[in-house]
Amino acid sequence: MKINREKLMEAAKRQMPSSRWEHTLRVMETAAELARRTGADPEKADIAAILHDYCKFWPEDKQREWILRHRLPQDLLQYNKELWHAPVGAEAVREELGIDDEEVLNAIRSHTTGRPGMSLLEKVIFLADYIEPGRSFSGVEEVRRLAREDLDRAILKALDNTIVYLVERGFKVYPLTILTRNDFLDKIPQTLPKEESH
Ligand code: DGI
Ligand code: FE
Ligand code: FE
């Protein structure tokens, strides 16, 4: 990829406070390790990790504007604004930084909710974001352990954790998060007893 990595790092760093940039650095390291182990493209994993939270600290109004003006899913506006920075980020790095690699853009776009049919690169970025060493949410250790064996099982567990967290607090769950979980449930051989019909 003919992209100046240092320039991209400077551009991303300028968009966020230092604590979020440090998270980005840890996501870069974790993504590099996952890519090495799984055979994902290391350069693309690096660029996607650098840029994955590009818009995270943009003002809410600016993110809303991008959703309205860039043909992004309008239903996002009915859900938690924490979901917005992933699809907005993909459009923003395309327009502001000239990133045109669709695999990298997909990895940025799907890093918060996942999506059915995720590519290996998307899985690497989703998981690196979830398990980077600065994360301490409950259940993260199990996801780290699963990630050493099977990315799909690790992502399923991460999605389960996120959905349980949201339900326990009475928050809405974005439908794409549920669709992603269903997709992983369908493709992972189940060792548990089959669901009973009621
Ligand atoms: O941007 P990061 O903090 O590094 O991590 P992220 O992009 O995974 O964002 C996590 C946030 O998104 C966290 O506050 C939970 C929230 N989230 C993830 N899936 C859903 C969700 N919020 C709602 N309302 N619905 C979801 O499906
Ligand atoms: Fe994020
Ligand atoms: Fe992140």
Side-chain angles (χ1 to χ4, degrees), residues 48-118:
I50 291 169
L51 299 175
H52 83 283
D53 276 339
Y54 186 79
C55 288
K56 176 96 176 174
F57 283 83
W58 282 14
E60 184 175 340
D61 286 351
K62 185 174 175 185
Q63 293 192 47
R64 184 181 293 105
E65 278 294 295
W66 275 70
I67 291 170
L68 290 167
R69 300 231 173 124
H70 291 76
R71 284 187 282 152
L72 293 170
Q74 299 295 303
D75 65 347
L76 282 165
L77 298 170
Q78 312 303 321
Y79 291 85
N80 192 329
K81 62 179 168 48
E82 288 299 319
L83 297 166
W84 302 355
H85 72 285
V88 171
E91 293 314 306
V93 302
R94 193 207 299 273
E95 286 203 9
E96 297 191 350
L97 307 176
I99 304 296
D100 60 3
D101 185 300
E102 294 298 332
E103 291 183 56
V104 169
L105 295 172
N106 283 342
I108 297 169
R109 189 180 296 117
S110 71
H111 87 263
T112 305
T113 60
R115 63 165 180 148
M118 288 170 85

Side-chain angles (χ1 to χ4, degrees), residues 6-37:
E6 299 307 314
K7 286 243 161 62
L8 294 181
M9 287 177 71
E10 281 167 29
K13 189 176 177 182
R14 275 199 301 273
Q15 311 297 318
M16 57 190 74
S18 61
S19 59
R20 177 60 36 172
W21 178 244
E22 281 154 25
H23 157 74
T24 297
L25 293 172
R26 293 190 297 267
V27 173
M28 287 160 62
E29 279 178 32
T30 308
E33 193 184 311
L34 288 172
R36 206 163 38 239
R37 242 185 22 237

